[in-house]
Amino acid sequence: MISDAIEGVRIVPQHIPAEDLLSLVPHKGKMFLLSRVTAHDIVKNSIVSEYDVSKNCILYDEDLDGIPVWAGFEMMAQSISALSTIERIAQGKPRSAAPGVILSVSNFRTKLEAIRTGQTVVLSVSENYRVDNVCRYDCELYERGCAEPVATTAITVMGIQDMHSFFSGQGS
C-alpha cells in the first residue's frame, strides 16, 4: 500500500480499497462502514471516501430498506480515523490506527430519512480547526452522482495516545 519515502514523506495511494482500509481504522466486521477511499490530501487534511449500503450493515433497517441517514456521521467519523492514520503513515509513524474519541457532532442537517440499499454514498471530510490533539471537521454526505450533499455536519474529535489510560482517568 505504501511506496518509498520522498523527502521524508511516505507516499500513500489515493485509492485505498476496503481490505487495506481495515488496517487504518479500528472498526471491524459489520461496524466497518467504509468501502474505499478515493482521494486524500494530508496537507489540507481532507479525505473523500465511499460506502456501499447493503443489508449486511449493522444499522440496516428493513422498514427503511436501507440505513437511517444519521448513520452517516459514523461513516464520516471512520473517514476521519482513516485520514488520521494516513497522515501518521505519511509522517513515518506506526501504521496502526490512532485512537480517538468523538467530542461532538453538531449542526447535523439532512434532506433524507434513509440511505437505501444498493446506494453508494460519498463522504467528503475536511479539517477546519486544530488545537493540539483536538480537531474539527466539516463533513458532507452525497448520494453518488448528486451534486448537492444530502447531509452535512461538523464533527469534533480528540486524538488519544492510550485509550485505556484515558478512560481510566490516568491521562490523555
Side-chain angles (χ1 to χ4, degrees), residues 74-92:
E74 177 59 32
M75 294 175 223
M76 295 167 183
Q78 288 185 29
S79 297
I80 292 167
S81 181
L83 177 62
S84 174
T85 305
I86 290 167
E87 181 180 20
R88 289 169 47 87
I89 292 168
Q91 294 169 350

Side-chain angles (χ1 to χ4, degrees), residues 145-158:
C146 293
E148 294 293 318
V150 295
T152 59
T153 193
I155 298 177
T156 303
V157 299
M158 181 171 61

Side-chain angles (χ1 to χ4, degrees), residues 85-153:
T85 305
I86 290 167
E87 181 180 20
R88 289 169 47 87
I89 292 168
Q91 294 169 350
K93 295 179 181 174
R95 182 184 165 114
S96 60
V101 294
I102 297 173
L103 298 177
S104 71
V105 177
S106 56
N107 299 320
F108 187 83
R109 293 189 173 87
T110 186
K111 298 176 182 179
L112 296 177
E113 177 184 10
I115 305 164
R116 305 283 182 234
T117 302
Q119 180 68 48
T120 295
V121 294
V122 178
L123 306 139
S124 175
V125 175
S126 299
E127 181 184 293
N128 74 3
Y129 174 84
R130 179 183 292 225
V131 173
D132 298 325
N133 61 339
V134 176
C135 301
R136 180 179 164 124
Y137 295 87
D138 292 325
C139 307
E140 298 174 323
L141 184 150
Y142 297 81
E143 291 180 308
R144 182 186 273 162
C146 293
E148 294 293 318
V150 295
T152 59
T153 193

